[in-house]
Structure formats: C-alpha cells, structure tokens
Amino acid sequence: MHNPSLITSIEARNQAYRESLENPEEFWGHVADQFTWKRKWDSVLDWNFEEPNVRWFDGAQLNITENCLDRHLPERGDEIALIWESNSPNEESKKYTYNELHEAVCVFAQVLRSGGIKKGDRVCIYMGMVPELAIAVLACARVGAIHSVIFGGFSAHSVADRVNDAQATAIITCDGAYRGAKDIPLKAIIDEALQHCNSVKTVWIYERTNIEIELKEGRDILWKQAIAHVNIQEAINTPAETMEAEDPLFILYTSGSTGKPKGVVHTCGGYMVWTHYTFTNAFQYQRGWVHFCTADIGWITGHSYILYGPLTAGATTLLFEGIPTYPNPDRFWEIVEKHNVDILYTAPTAIRSLMSAGNDWVMNHKMPSLKVLGTVGEPINEEAWQWYHKMVGKGNCEIVDTWWQTETGGVLISNLAAVTPSKPTFATLPLPGVEPLLVDENGNEIFGNNVSGNLCIRKPWPGILRTTWGDHERCKQTYFSTYPGLYFTGDGALRDENGNYRITGRVDDVLNVSGHRIGTAEVENAINLHTGVIESAIVGYPHDIKGQGIYAFVIYQGLETDLRTLSHQINETVSREIGAIAKADKIQIVSGLPKTRSGKIMRRILRKIAEGELESLGDTSTLLDPSMVDSIIQGRL
Ligand code: WT7
C-alpha cells in the first residue's frame, strides 16, 4: 500500500509543516483520504479551545477495525499482523496473519454481541499481554463498544474506581498473567473489585496461567467456551458497527495533579488518522518491517503503537508478554534477533536498567535487522541515549525521541527517522499539525530561541483528547484554563537555537516514575489511609533507573514500630490502594511539614530536600514554622 502522506525529506517535512498550519483542513482532508470511510466528512475541522470543543472529520462514518484489518486483506491477508512472544523464552511464539487476526476479532466481536454489548457500552479490559488482549480491544472497537484498558498492575481498588467511573457493563480479563517471575492473579483481583461495582453484568475470562479461579454463576464466562459457540462464517460476514468520526473509541485513565484519575477520551476518526500518520512518519515505517513496541497495552503507548498505528499501516506488530530483565537482561535482544525486528520502541527507564546490567548482555547480540530505535515516556539522559545508539544500534540506527502524552493520542514532537536530524536528549521538532509554544507563569509567550518555559500547543491536531469521561469541566480546567486559548501540556521545555525542543519534565504535581505517570495527591491519599498516618507529602527525586523516585514525608503518630516495618506497611497500603508502581522509594517520618501561614504545603522546599539541594532552599521566611525545615533536613534519607 502506497502511503501518500509519508514524508521522505527535510524539504518535504518543512513544506508539510507549513501547509498543515496554513491550511489544516486541506492538509488533513488529504491525509484522511487514504483511509476506508463508510461515509466521508462534511467538514474537516471545527474547534474552539474555550469550551473546549474539537471535532475532526465531522459527519464521516467508519469503523477503525476495518482500517486495521479488512482493508489489508486483499493485498496482504497472508502477511503477519501480530507476533506474540511469551514471557518465557521456552514457550513457542504465536503468529497471526491479517486474515487470522481479522477472523479472531470477528469471532470475539460476535461473543460481545451475543453478550448484549452494543455501541456506546463501556467494556473494561484487565488482561496480561496475550494476543487475546489485542483481540479483545479490537473486538470492542468492532462492535462500537468503548474500551477502557486497565493496566494489570493496578489494584482492585483502582480497578473498581475506573469501572465505576466508566459505568462499564462488562469486563474482559484473564485467570492470571505472567510477568517475569511473577504470576498476577487477575481474576481474583477482578472478583474483589467487583464487590464494589454494580454496573458489571458479564465477565469474560481468558485462561492463560490455569490457576484456580472462582466462576460466578450468571456473570462469568470462559473465553474459550464462548468462542466455541460462534459460527465463524457468520461472524466474518457480520458488518462492523458504523461509528461517527467523533464517537468515542476508548477511555484511558491517567493520573493528574488531583486525587482522582481522569478518563481521557479519544474518538474514532481523528485518533485513527493521527496514530497512522505519526507511526509511519516518526518511525519511517517501510512495508514488511517488524515493529516491536515494548509498552504494555494498558498504557497509551500500547494502544497507539502496538495496536492502532501499526495495524492501520498494515505492519507486523510484536506483542511481548514479559519484562526486559527476565529471565536475563538480554530478553529484548533475543526477541529482536529471533523475529528480525526493524523498529524497537521502548522507554528510557528500560534502557537504563539494561545498561546497568553490563554491556556483555547486549554485545553478544548483533541485531542486524534493527533500523530505528524509539524512546518515549520520560526525558532521556545523554548517557542512556548514547548507550542506546552505540550498544543497541551498533551506531547504525536512527534514534527517535518521541514526546507525547495520553491526552495527545500520538506523537507530537519527534525527529523523523533518517529524515530530520536527531539531537541527544531533544525530541527536536513538532510534527505537521502541531504548533508548540512556550509561555511564562503568567501565560505570556516566550519568543525567540535558547529559552525555556511551559509547553503549550496552539491548535488542535487530529489526535487531541476530546473530553474527560463524564466530566467535561475537568477537561477544560486541567488542559485549557491555565492558559486560556491554549492546550497546556503540564511539561516544561527548552527551545534551542535551531528551534528544537527538549522536554525537561512535569511542572505540575505529577511524577514520572519509570515512564509511568503518578499523581502526588493520589499517593498521598493512599498513604494517609494508613492507620496512624496524620498527613503526608510526596515529591519526586532523581533516580538512576526510574528517572524519578518517590520520596514520602510522613507524619505518623500510631503505634511505635521500627522504621523498616512501618515503611513496609505504608507501602503495602499504597499497593493495595493504587498498585505496586506507586510505592514510595523513601519514606521519612517527620514531625511536621513546611507550610505557609495559609496552610499550604511548600513542596518546592521538600523537593529540594529530597534532591539533596540543601543550599538552594530559597526563601523559607514565609513558613509558619521555619525551624521545621532544619529538623526535616536532619532526618533526610
Ligand atoms: C508525560 C506523558 C506518551 C507515552 C508515554 C507516557 C513525559 C513522554 C517523553 C519524551 C520527555 C516525555 C512527559 C509527558 N514524556 N515522552 N520523549 N521526552 N518526556 O504517557 O503517561 O501520558 O505521560 O510523559 O512528561 O507529559 P503519559
């Protein structure tokens, strides 16, 4: 399939960029022409950032799975759509051709239909990284159900919050999941969560680990039994649901600076165009290439660059069940060699952890198939960038540093592999359709180069979030009100002398731990639930592997226990409330927190203490009790 919107030179990039901003309607209309629509749009773009209201391809109808699957069948039905690699190197890989994946999705779509799932219903998916996860997601999209994938590391409590917020009527899960040396009892966690959810009528369970599970009569159905009843021919012949371009495709919950995660909503048409456009251009995907994105489908990276981007492009996408260091820290390299991976897309935290395992593990693998190395999720430090380039890419691969967010649907700022230059630690230039700008605290634009500020975007691109589920006001408040008329990313950035952007990290109360977004308020709420905890404040601090670690300052007046036991117990509470990813790396018991006279915690000071920058604490005279700071410093971990 010829991709008319593939950019292949700097000149073409600059021209596309100019055209996309001068005449977005013509530009994106042209890009969108290459997809399969059931009906074309009446207008390409209507928008204002005040409400906000953004509509792309209004009036158009489509089903995204016809673009991921059906349209490839005549030409490449027998080519591999999906390669699955097990957690264990001893278990055989699985491969699905486009024909096979299409069939599997049609069959499970039929299961959903017979379970009463219809367009607009919400279905939560809580599974390990098995092919059936991809099938479940696409089957939801096929029948028009709004999927909400919940990362398998979240606790029952977090699952329940998300299921309730979305008012999901069904769950698709597994008995358990393998992740490295661990088995996660997913179904048992669902059972616990569902004690607090009454919207859920049906639970489908794919058996992966064969652990014992309880089945609830009238609610729980085994995947294998359900698909056994489907007439395959009928399933294939049942048309995909007709969706409006602006109908929601999925909800994905993400943490913000307040306590409650918000459900970011993406819609069918714009998201499809954006993931395809960014996938093909940033990675410069070529027909026949194998694309290995190591993220979990529970995060936006997995949605956009394991599933929708690669599949709309007709690529071979690789889905890996395990983790980079199991059984050894060369598991990625083994997989790259075994499947002749062309594009590897991973996170700086994974790169740093593999780097710390020593060079032998990577030097034993030549990996001649590799062409493009992508990074995403957090700022990449120079050392990790160079190691990725030299050790993994053997100096022969392009590195693309792709900056984006759950809310942006796909990449916004990145170099285009071998087309525009890379610059270590810089995401470099915006993609066509993306107009970044830097503002100061008061919202005044910072012009010129060699400047830094808060990163905003001026106009909508097709993949921008449309709302936060059930609470449009929150969407407005969070992203469109800080700087009226602009989308605010929550990130700080620097612009160099050539206009390249370097993302320096979050400027709000959001942490980025191992590439996962963690809201400080959420963790504090969890810690505060622990018996004896009076109050807590958490901040990030630089961590060699995770990028940021979590430092908790806790006021505790409970039973006397030794610090180690207490820290352990507090983290158990965090695991129970949120999940193990939010555990604190350091917990310091303090007698008070630095507060202003109005009672606001001065996080700036705590951040400096956690970072060890004790000389630059700044002005502490406005504190209610400035001596508090000294006592916290003395107890520093
Ligand atoms: C935040 C978004 C988008 C996929 C994974 C994370 C940080 C993301 C980069 C990058 C520097 C990056 C930002 C952003 N981030 N990519 N290439 N360089 N920082 O999605 O959970 O929505 O987090 O991740 O701080 O705001 P997310």
Side-chain angles (χ1 to χ4, degrees), residues 33-44:
D33 270 335
Q34 63 187 295
F35 294 87
T36 301
W37 302 90
K38 291 175 191 275
R39 182 186 189 276
K40 284 270 174 107
W41 47 90
D42 300 319
S43 71
V44 174

Side-chain angles (χ1 to χ4, degrees), residues 234-526:
E234 199 180 300
I236 291 177
N237 292 333
T238 305
E241 185 68 35
T242 298
M243 305 297 286
E244 301 297 319
E246 281 298 332
D247 278 338
L249 172 63
F250 65 85
I251 306 169
L252 188 59
Y253 285 86
T254 189
S255 296
S257 36
T258 58
K260 197 168 153 267
K262 37 186 188 289
V264 169
V265 175
H266 285 289
T267 56
C268 298
Y271 177 80
M272 169 179 76
V273 169
W274 191 243
T275 52
H276 177 273
Y277 186 81
T278 53
F279 171 72
T280 53
N281 278 302
F283 300 108
Q284 290 288 301
Y285 161 76
Q286 307 282 317
R287 182 161 186 184
W289 279 14
V290 177
H291 173 74
F292 176 17
C293 166
T294 71
D296 193 288
I297 292 177
W299 309 109
I300 190 70
T301 310
H303 282 60
S304 301
Y305 300 111
I306 296 179
L307 297 180
Y308 291 112
L311 294 177
T312 51
T316 300
T317 189
L318 196 153
L319 198 144
F320 172 42
E321 183 181 38
I323 58 168
T325 48
Y326 178 84
N328 289 306
D330 63 348
R331 189 71 176 111
F332 279 0
W333 324 136
E334 260 179 25
I335 295 172
V336 167
E337 288 195 325
K338 180 172 173 188
H339 298 291
N340 292 309
V341 168
D342 296 272
I343 309 170
L344 175 69
Y345 190 30
T346 195
T349 186
I351 298 169
R352 287 190 299 262
S353 110
L354 296 172
M355 182 167 86
S356 76
N359 291 343
D360 287 354
W361 291 108
V362 60
M363 290 199 334
N364 288 332
H365 297 274
K366 294 208 165 63
M367 302 185 278
S369 60
L370 276 181
K371 294 169 188 71
V372 177
L373 302 174
T375 150
V376 62
E378 43 173 324
I380 185 163
N381 49 312
E382 174 94 29
E383 195 192 357
W385 196 100
Q386 296 296 351
W387 188 85
Y388 201 26
H389 188 249
K390 288 200 186 81
M391 289 293 166
V392 181
K394 319 294 179 193
N396 301 320
C397 296
E398 295 297 325
I399 293 200
V400 286
D401 181 347
T402 63
W403 172 82
W404 57 296
Q405 313 177 293
T406 303
E407 295 84 348
T408 71
V411 175
L412 292 199
I413 304 183
S414 173
N415 53 312
L416 313 180
V419 171
T420 64
S422 63
K423 175 171 178 179
T425 78
F426 282 75
T428 75
L429 299 176
L431 267 78
V434 179
E435 201 180 340
L437 67 156
L438 300 175
V439 301
D440 66 18
E441 248 111 83
N442 304 317
N444 299 314
E445 181 165 359
I446 303 169
F447 295 96
N449 286 338
N450 282 318
V451 290
S452 24
N454 293 343
L455 181 62
C456 295
I457 316 284
R458 211 186 295 277
K459 286 176 188 156
W461 58 96
I464 190 174
L465 86 160
R466 301 301 195 265
T467 187
T468 46
W469 184 257
D471 193 351
H472 193 63
E473 183 59 24
R474 186 151 181 225
C475 171
K476 177 178 172 174
Q477 284 305 328
T478 312
Y479 307 105
F480 300 94
S481 297
T482 318
Y483 306 114
L486 301 174
Y487 168 81
F488 176 43
T489 65
D491 279 328
L494 171 162
R495 188 167 52 221
D496 79 358
E497 62 284 0
N498 299 314
N500 291 308
Y501 286 89
R502 170 197 217 156
I503 314 304
T504 45
R506 305 287 309 196
V507 294
D508 51 9
D509 288 327
V510 170
L511 307 185
N512 191 327
V513 179
S514 300
H516 300 319
R517 199 200 287 198
I518 311 241
T520 49
E522 255 180 281
V523 183
E524 287 163 5
N525 292 345

Side-chain angles (χ1 to χ4, degrees), residues 583-637:
K583 278 193 199 169
D585 298 277
K586 295 183 179 181
I587 298 178
Q588 180 182 343
I589 305 301
V590 295
S591 57
L593 293 165
K595 289 191 176 171
T596 59
R597 289 196 181 85
S598 59
K600 212 171 156 277
I601 299 174
M602 296 268 275
R603 284 166 194 287
R604 177 177 57 81
I605 292 175
L606 292 175
R607 227 174 275 136
K608 294 278 182 201
I609 296 176
E611 286 166 4
E613 290 189 21
L614 305 177
E615 273 72 56
S616 54
L617 287 184
D619 185 13
T620 56
S621 63
T622 55
L623 287 177
L624 193 60
D625 175 9
S627 73
M628 187 61 68
V629 174
D630 295 324
S631 93
I632 296 177
I633 289 175
Q634 268 158 31
R636 204 179 150 256
L637 299 172

